[in-house]
Tab-separated table of all heavy atoms in Angstrom:
chain	number	residue	atom	x	y	z
A	1	ALA	N	11.115	-3.085	7.684
A	1	ALA	CA	11.833	-1.973	8.309
A	1	ALA	C	12.673	-1.213	7.298
A	1	ALA	O	12.843	0.001	7.408
A	1	ALA	CB	12.712	-2.489	9.447
A	2	ASN	N	13.194	-1.928	6.323
A	2	ASN	CA	14.005	-1.281	5.281
A	2	ASN	C	13.144	-0.607	4.211
A	2	ASN	O	13.688	0.105	3.350
A	2	ASN	CB	14.932	-2.304	4.622
A	2	ASN	CG	16.045	-2.747	5.558
A	2	ASN	OD1	16.515	-1.972	6.388
A	2	ASN	ND2	16.464	-3.994	5.429
A	3	ALA	N	11.849	-0.878	4.253
A	3	ALA	CA	10.890	-0.280	3.314
A	3	ALA	C	11.323	-0.577	1.872
A	3	ALA	O	11.660	-1.687	1.530
A	3	ALA	CB	10.738	1.208	3.579
A	4	GLY	N	11.337	0.405	1.036
A	4	GLY	CA	11.698	0.204	-0.358
A	4	GLY	C	10.486	0.076	-1.262
A	4	GLY	O	9.378	-0.271	-0.834
A	5	ALA	N	10.707	0.352	-2.527
A	5	ALA	CA	9.633	0.333	-3.516
A	5	ALA	C	9.281	-1.099	-3.913
A	5	ALA	O	10.075	-2.020	-3.731
A	5	ALA	CB	10.050	1.134	-4.749
A	6	PRO	N	8.097	-1.295	-4.471
A	6	PRO	CA	7.726	-2.633	-4.959
A	6	PRO	C	8.619	-3.065	-6.119
A	6	PRO	O	9.239	-2.246	-6.791
A	6	PRO	CB	6.273	-2.454	-5.421
A	6	PRO	CG	5.790	-1.215	-4.736
A	6	PRO	CD	6.989	-0.335	-4.580
A	7	GLY	N	8.658	-4.381	-6.351
A	7	GLY	CA	9.404	-4.921	-7.475
A	7	GLY	C	8.555	-4.976	-8.728
A	7	GLY	O	7.576	-4.238	-8.878
A	8	VAL	N	8.907	-5.876	-9.638
A	8	VAL	CA	8.217	-5.944	-10.925
A	8	VAL	C	6.763	-6.359	-10.790
A	8	VAL	O	5.945	-6.056	-11.668
A	8	VAL	CB	8.948	-6.916	-11.886
A	8	VAL	CG1	10.339	-6.414	-12.221
A	8	VAL	CG2	9.007	-8.335	-11.306
A	9	ASP	N	6.397	-7.039	-9.703
A	9	ASP	CA	5.003	-7.467	-9.528
A	9	ASP	C	4.106	-6.362	-8.993
A	9	ASP	O	2.886	-6.513	-8.957
A	9	ASP	CB	4.914	-8.697	-8.632
A	9	ASP	CG	5.481	-8.447	-7.227
A	9	ASP	OD1	5.952	-7.322	-6.957
A	9	ASP	OD2	5.454	-9.391	-6.407
A	10	GLY	N	4.713	-5.243	-8.559
A	10	GLY	CA	3.939	-4.114	-8.060
A	10	GLY	C	3.345	-4.298	-6.681
A	10	GLY	O	2.589	-3.447	-6.202
A	11	VAL	N	3.662	-5.393	-6.008
A	11	VAL	CA	3.087	-5.693	-4.698
A	11	VAL	C	3.835	-4.909	-3.621
A	11	VAL	O	5.063	-4.985	-3.521
A	11	VAL	CB	3.147	-7.196	-4.403
A	11	VAL	CG1	2.625	-7.491	-2.999
A	11	VAL	CG2	2.335	-7.968	-5.435
A	12	SER	N	3.099	-4.174	-2.787
A	12	SER	CA	3.676	-3.386	-1.708
A	12	SER	C	3.441	-4.075	-0.371
A	12	SER	O	2.642	-5.017	-0.265
A	12	SER	CB	3.064	-1.987	-1.679
A	12	SER	OG	1.676	-2.054	-1.350
A	13	PHE	N	4.113	-3.599	0.670
A	13	PHE	CA	3.901	-4.139	2.011
A	13	PHE	C	2.462	-3.912	2.469
A	13	PHE	O	1.864	-4.778	3.116
A	13	PHE	CB	4.874	-3.492	3.000
A	13	PHE	CG	6.293	-3.940	2.832
A	13	PHE	CD1	7.230	-3.123	2.218
A	13	PHE	CD2	6.699	-5.183	3.290
A	13	PHE	CE1	8.544	-3.529	2.067
A	13	PHE	CE2	8.020	-5.610	3.144
A	13	PHE	CZ	8.944	-4.774	2.518
A	14	ALA	N	1.905	-2.759	2.135
A	14	ALA	CA	0.523	-2.458	2.523
A	14	ALA	C	-0.447	-3.464	1.911
A	14	ALA	O	-1.382	-3.931	2.582
A	14	ALA	CB	0.162	-1.038	2.103
A	15	GLN	N	-0.225	-3.824	0.655
A	15	GLN	CA	-1.099	-4.792	0.002
A	15	GLN	C	-0.993	-6.163	0.650
A	15	GLN	O	-2.002	-6.853	0.839
A	15	GLN	CB	-0.756	-4.888	-1.486
A	15	GLN	CG	-1.150	-3.663	-2.296
A	15	GLN	CD	-0.669	-3.754	-3.730
A	15	GLN	OE1	0.521	-3.895	-3.995
A	15	GLN	NE2	-1.584	-3.684	-4.671
A	16	ILE	N	0.229	-6.559	0.991
A	16	ILE	CA	0.426	-7.860	1.635
A	16	ILE	C	-0.339	-7.919	2.949
A	16	ILE	O	-1.030	-8.898	3.240
A	16	ILE	CB	1.933	-8.118	1.862
A	16	ILE	CG1	2.640	-8.332	0.519
A	16	ILE	CG2	2.142	-9.326	2.772
A	16	ILE	CD1	4.151	-8.413	0.626
A	17	GLU	N	-0.241	-6.872	3.751
A	17	GLU	CA	-0.887	-6.889	5.055
A	17	GLU	C	-2.393	-6.700	4.942
A	17	GLU	O	-3.136	-7.227	5.770
A	17	GLU	CB	-0.238	-5.832	5.940
A	17	GLU	CG	1.247	-6.110	6.160
A	17	GLU	CD	1.904	-5.288	7.225
A	17	GLU	OE1	1.194	-4.486	7.870
A	17	GLU	OE2	3.132	-5.436	7.428
A	18	ASP	N	-2.836	-5.995	3.935
A	18	ASP	CA	-4.281	-5.870	3.716
A	18	ASP	C	-4.908	-7.206	3.346
A	18	ASP	O	-6.024	-7.539	3.758
A	18	ASP	CB	-4.569	-4.842	2.623
A	18	ASP	CG	-4.350	-3.416	3.090
A	18	ASP	OD1	-4.270	-3.188	4.320
A	18	ASP	OD2	-4.232	-2.521	2.225
A	19	GLN	N	-4.171	-7.984	2.566
A	19	GLN	CA	-4.686	-9.272	2.095
A	19	GLN	C	-4.438	-10.409	3.089
A	19	GLN	O	-4.964	-11.491	2.923
A	19	GLN	CB	-4.080	-9.603	0.736
A	19	GLN	CG	-4.483	-8.623	-0.363
A	19	GLN	CD	-3.713	-8.830	-1.660
A	19	GLN	OE1	-2.976	-9.815	-1.817
A	19	GLN	NE2	-3.880	-7.899	-2.598
A	20	GLY	N	-3.603	-10.145	4.113
A	20	GLY	CA	-3.354	-11.151	5.143
A	20	GLY	C	-1.912	-11.624	5.144
A	20	GLY	O	-1.516	-12.417	4.284
A	21	LEU	N	-1.132	-11.140	6.106
A	21	LEU	CA	0.286	-11.482	6.180
A	21	LEU	C	0.495	-12.968	6.452
A	21	LEU	O	1.384	-13.597	5.876
A	21	LEU	CB	0.973	-10.641	7.264
A	21	LEU	CG	2.439	-10.964	7.555
A	21	LEU	CD1	3.290	-10.795	6.301
A	21	LEU	CD2	2.972	-10.098	8.693
A	22	GLU	N	-0.331	-13.541	7.339
A	22	GLU	CA	-0.156	-14.939	7.707
A	22	GLU	C	-0.291	-15.847	6.495
A	22	GLU	O	0.503	-16.766	6.285
A	22	GLU	CB	-1.177	-15.329	8.783
A	22	GLU	CG	-1.029	-14.569	10.090
A	22	GLU	CD	0.338	-14.774	10.716
A	22	GLU	OE1	0.848	-15.912	10.624
A	22	GLU	OE2	0.890	-13.805	11.286
A	23	ALA	N	-1.312	-15.593	5.682
A	23	ALA	CA	-1.512	-16.403	4.487
A	23	ALA	C	-0.375	-16.210	3.491
A	23	ALA	O	0.063	-17.164	2.828
A	23	ALA	CB	-2.852	-16.056	3.840
A	24	TRP	N	0.110	-14.965	3.385
A	24	TRP	CA	1.209	-14.670	2.464
A	24	TRP	C	2.474	-15.410	2.880
A	24	TRP	O	3.159	-16.020	2.036
A	24	TRP	CB	1.450	-13.162	2.432
A	24	TRP	CG	2.436	-12.720	1.396
A	24	TRP	CD1	2.187	-12.417	0.086
A	24	TRP	CD2	3.844	-12.526	1.589
A	24	TRP	NE1	3.343	-12.037	-0.550
A	24	TRP	CE2	4.386	-12.102	0.354
A	24	TRP	CE3	4.692	-12.673	2.679
A	24	TRP	CZ2	5.737	-11.818	0.182
A	24	TRP	CZ3	6.056	-12.399	2.512
A	24	TRP	CH2	6.550	-11.982	1.283
A	25	LEU	N	2.804	-15.372	4.164
A	25	LEU	CA	3.995	-16.069	4.660
A	25	LEU	C	3.849	-17.577	4.494
A	25	LEU	O	4.801	-18.273	4.133
A	25	LEU	CB	4.239	-15.724	6.127
A	25	LEU	CG	4.813	-14.328	6.421
A	25	LEU	CD1	4.826	-14.061	7.924
A	25	LEU	CD2	6.234	-14.201	5.859
A	26	ALA	N	2.641	-18.089	4.746
A	26	ALA	CA	2.399	-19.530	4.599
A	26	ALA	C	2.581	-19.959	3.145
A	26	ALA	O	3.153	-21.022	2.867
A	26	ALA	CB	0.996	-19.879	5.090
A	27	GLY	N	2.104	-19.137	2.219
A	27	GLY	CA	2.263	-19.452	0.805
A	27	GLY	C	3.714	-19.430	0.369
A	27	GLY	O	4.165	-20.294	-0.402
A	28	LEU	N	4.449	-18.463	0.861
A	28	LEU	CA	5.866	-18.373	0.533
A	28	LEU	C	6.627	-19.579	1.085
A	28	LEU	O	7.463	-20.177	0.397
A	28	LEU	CB	6.445	-17.075	1.086
A	28	LEU	CG	7.944	-16.842	0.867
A	28	LEU	CD1	8.295	-16.857	-0.618
A	28	LEU	CD2	8.390	-15.524	1.512
A	29	ARG	N	6.324	-19.943	2.316
A	29	ARG	CA	6.986	-21.097	2.913
A	29	ARG	C	6.656	-22.370	2.149
A	29	ARG	O	7.528	-23.223	1.937
A	29	ARG	CB	6.571	-21.241	4.388
A	29	ARG	CG	7.304	-22.365	5.115
A	29	ARG	CD	7.009	-22.360	6.601
A	29	ARG	NE	7.786	-23.381	7.270
A	29	ARG	CZ	7.414	-24.650	7.411
A	29	ARG	NH1	6.231	-25.029	6.944
A	29	ARG	NH2	8.203	-25.528	8.021
A	30	GLU	N	5.425	-22.511	1.712
A	30	GLU	CA	5.017	-23.681	0.941
A	30	GLU	C	5.813	-23.778	-0.361
A	30	GLU	O	6.256	-24.861	-0.748
A	30	GLU	CB	3.515	-23.614	0.650
A	30	GLU	CG	2.981	-24.765	-0.197
A	30	GLU	CD	3.036	-26.099	0.515
A	30	GLU	OE1	3.160	-26.128	1.769
A	30	GLU	OE2	2.941	-27.140	-0.190
A	31	ASP	N	6.011	-22.641	-1.023
A	31	ASP	CA	6.802	-22.624	-2.254
A	31	ASP	C	8.248	-23.059	-1.992
A	31	ASP	O	8.850	-23.770	-2.804
A	31	ASP	CB	6.796	-21.224	-2.875
A	31	ASP	CG	5.446	-20.863	-3.474
A	31	ASP	OD1	4.616	-21.772	-3.673
A	31	ASP	OD2	5.221	-19.659	-3.725
A	32	LEU	N	8.798	-22.631	-0.856
A	32	LEU	CA	10.168	-23.010	-0.526
A	32	LEU	C	10.267	-24.489	-0.173
A	32	LEU	O	11.163	-25.204	-0.645
A	32	LEU	CB	10.686	-22.152	0.641
A	32	LEU	CG	10.995	-20.687	0.327
A	32	LEU	CD1	11.208	-19.897	1.615
A	32	LEU	CD2	12.221	-20.568	-0.569
A	33	VAL	N	9.358	-24.962	0.646
A	33	VAL	CA	9.396	-26.349	1.096
A	33	VAL	C	9.217	-27.312	-0.079
A	33	VAL	O	9.883	-28.349	-0.161
A	33	VAL	CB	8.324	-26.589	2.178
A	33	VAL	CG1	8.209	-28.085	2.491
A	33	VAL	CG2	8.668	-25.810	3.446
A	34	THR	N	8.322	-26.962	-0.993
A	34	THR	CA	8.047	-27.831	-2.137
A	34	THR	C	9.022	-27.608	-3.289
A	34	THR	O	8.894	-28.236	-4.348
A	34	THR	CB	6.621	-27.600	-2.648
A	34	THR	OG1	6.459	-26.219	-3.021
A	34	THR	CG2	5.609	-27.966	-1.569
A	35	LYS	N	9.984	-26.714	-3.103
A	35	LYS	CA	11.018	-26.410	-4.112
A	35	LYS	C	10.438	-25.813	-5.390
A	35	LYS	O	11.023	-25.958	-6.478
A	35	LYS	CB	11.825	-27.673	-4.454
A	35	LYS	CG	12.318	-28.483	-3.269
A	35	LYS	CD	13.298	-27.769	-2.442
A	35	LYS	CE	13.980	-28.674	-1.406
A	35	LYS	NZ	13.098	-29.453	-0.553
A	36	THR	N	9.279	-25.163	-5.257
A	36	THR	CA	8.672	-24.512	-6.423
A	36	THR	C	8.964	-23.012	-6.465
A	36	THR	O	8.543	-22.333	-7.402
A	36	THR	CB	7.151	-24.732	-6.433
A	36	THR	OG1	6.583	-24.236	-5.219
A	36	THR	CG2	6.825	-26.221	-6.580
A	37	TYR	N	9.656	-22.506	-5.468
A	37	TYR	CA	10.002	-21.084	-5.457
A	37	TYR	C	10.938	-20.742	-6.608
A	37	TYR	O	11.926	-21.441	-6.851
A	37	TYR	CB	10.668	-20.713	-4.122
A	37	TYR	CG	11.394	-19.390	-4.156
A	37	TYR	CD1	10.707	-18.189	-3.994
A	37	TYR	CD2	12.769	-19.332	-4.373
A	37	TYR	CE1	11.366	-16.973	-4.028
A	37	TYR	CE2	13.438	-18.119	-4.410
A	37	TYR	CZ	12.734	-16.950	-4.243
A	37	TYR	OH	13.392	-15.753	-4.296
A	38	ARG	N	10.622	-19.681	-7.326
A	38	ARG	CA	11.478	-19.134	-8.371
A	38	ARG	C	11.486	-17.608	-8.223
A	38	ARG	O	10.429	-16.990	-8.084
A	38	ARG	CB	10.976	-19.504	-9.770
A	38	ARG	CG	10.964	-20.997	-10.053
A	38	ARG	CD	12.377	-21.579	-10.122
A	38	ARG	NE	12.363	-22.996	-10.474
A	38	ARG	CZ	12.209	-23.988	-9.599
A	38	ARG	NH1	12.046	-23.727	-8.314
A	38	ARG	NH2	12.205	-25.249	-9.997
A	39	PRO	N	12.641	-16.999	-8.243
A	39	PRO	CA	12.679	-15.532	-8.097
A	39	PRO	C	12.099	-14.828	-9.313
A	39	PRO	O	12.188	-15.314	-10.443
A	39	PRO	CB	14.171	-15.231	-7.940
A	39	PRO	CG	14.871	-16.385	-8.592
A	39	PRO	CD	13.989	-17.580	-8.372
A	40	ASP	N	11.509	-13.668	-9.065
A	40	ASP	CA	11.005	-12.815	-10.137
A	40	ASP	C	12.153	-12.003	-10.732
A	40	ASP	O	13.222	-11.874	-10.121
A	40	ASP	CB	9.941	-11.863	-9.591
A	40	ASP	CG	8.703	-12.593	-9.104
A	40	ASP	OD1	8.127	-13.337	-9.905
A	40	ASP	OD2	8.326	-12.410	-7.922
């Protein structure tokens, strides 16, 4: 809802949803749960 430009990885909201939001959210959650998440 806040929109905004992509960050350093160049990934946009449109790209995330084109590639599959569910899989993207699942991957992000997995990184958090396994403590492997690191900010860009």
